[in-house]
Amino acid sequence: MKSIRRSAGLAALALFAALPASAQELPPAKQIVDRYVEAIGGRAALAKLNTRHSVVEMSMPAMGMSMTVEMFQARPNKMFSRMEMQGMSFTSGYDGQVAWSNNPMQGPRLLEGAEMAQTLQQADFDASMDYAKSFPTMETVGRREVAGRPCWNVRMVHTSGIEMHNCYDVDSGLLIGASAKQVSAMGEVEANLVFSDYQVFDGVRMATKTTTSMMGQEMTATLKSVTHGPVDPAVFELPAEIKALVAQRPRQ
């Protein structure tokens, strides 16, 4: 019996040794994201925050375009954003029940399907604090490089159904890259993001520069300001034109 167990053990060791080095060394996804949470300040610091108001400047040099995005967020999942571009205003939000958008090209709309899922993910205030709850599916799929930095590539599926690959710096533990399919006016497109220039705001470390590559174009987003003071609840209320659409929606 001992010889059988010994043979089985040796066979297992031989099999493990035959695996590629990357397969032997991949850390568990939970370990990677827990390290990230600590790297940005820890759960205690994140739990102290209930609201967020941020202002981002975005530019697409190749197209000569620039825009300013103002976003309000509140726990657990309320969100309102306004983007100003070349004299036009684009707004969207989620009040905890209704996801919507309004822009000069499409007018006021209630969001459903993939667009609603994308909005729910953006509105998830505690996504960075409780990954296991926000992303029930997580697995480390490999190691790669982002902007010349080695990182652990983690496949993650949000409760909204959106799948993404986040890459966490091997040394610092910070999120430095991500890829996911984004819903746009032209359909679903692949977006690759690079996060850098981390700074601390109210005890939480946040990337102040995000570079997005999508459809052959590159866009840079620079975080200009972040505050976590009180936000007027009226900010998240549905605009009149959206309320009208809700009233017209067939009752289930």
Side-chain angles (χ1 to χ4, degrees):
M1 181 66 71
K2 288 183 178 180
S3 61
I4 294 176
R5 287 200 297 266
R6 176 180 172 81
S7 298
L10 290 173
L13 287 173
L15 177 61
F16 184 77
L19 291 173
S22 58
Q24 298 177 28
E25 298 168 0
L26 292 181
K30 186 178 185 304
Q31 176 182 314
I32 293 173
V33 298
D34 283 349
R35 184 176 176 227
Y36 164 70
V37 173
E38 290 305 311
I40 63 174
R43 287 183 173 81
L46 290 165
K48 292 179 182 179
L49 309 178
N50 294 298
T51 59
R52 180 174 295 122
H53 174 212
S54 54
V55 177
V56 176
E57 288 187 358
M58 307 176 73
S59 64
M60 298 180 68
M63 300 182 67
M65 296 174 59
S66 62
M67 60 210 81
T68 299
V69 179
E70 184 177 24
M71 179 176 285
F72 296 87
Q73 296 169 279
R75 177 176 283 122
N77 58 0
K78 292 185 178 181
M79 182 270 291
F80 170 77
S81 72
R82 179 190 298 109
M83 180 175 71
E84 301 291 339
M85 180 180 67
Q86 298 179 338
M88 297 184 293
S89 181
F90 300 72
T91 55
S92 63
Y94 183 66
D95 69 344
Q97 294 182 316
V98 177
W100 60 274
S101 76
N102 191 1
N103 63 66
M105 279 78 76
Q106 297 172 299
R109 296 188 303 127
L110 301 180
L111 304 183
E112 299 178 347
E115 287 183 303
M116 182 173 183
Q118 187 168 292
T119 301
L120 291 179
Q121 183 188 11
Q122 294 171 347
D124 189 351
F125 193 85
D126 289 330
S128 295
M129 185 172 71
D130 192 349
Y131 267 96
K133 181 178 179 181
S134 300
F135 297 88
T137 299
M138 296 187 297
E139 61 173 332
T140 310
V141 295
R143 175 170 164 158
R144 64 187 182 95
E145 283 195 1
V146 170
R149 299 284 303 174
C151 55
W152 299 116
N153 191 18
V154 180
R155 173 181 172 268
M156 310 176 72
V157 182
H158 192 262
T159 52
S160 63
I162 291 180
E163 178 179 329
M164 63 182 65
H165 284 74
N166 282 354
C167 218
Y168 299 89
D169 191 288
V170 170
D171 295 325
S172 69
L174 293 171
L175 176 66
I176 59 173
S179 61
K181 291 183 178 179
Q182 299 287 316
V183 179
S184 71
M186 291 168 283
E188 199 173 61
V189 295
E190 183 79 18
N192 292 287
L193 300 89
V194 176
F195 306 98
S196 60
D197 298 356
Y198 275 82
Q199 295 182 27
V200 177
F201 301 89
D202 297 319
V204 176
R205 185 169 282 104
M206 303 173 65
T208 62
K209 181 179 179 181
T210 303
T211 303
T212 303
S213 300
M214 184 169 59
M215 298 180 63
Q217 299 292 330
E218 186 171 280
M219 179 171 62
T220 300
T222 304
L223 184 61
K224 305 302 291 185
S225 66
V226 179
T227 57
H228 294 95
V231 172
D232 187 348
V235 169
F236 306 107
E237 291 182 2
L238 301 180
E241 58 270 28
I242 300 300
K243 288 181 179 178
L245 292 178
V246 172
Q248 297 170 15
R249 188 164 55 182
R251 293 186 179 183
Q252 297 182 346

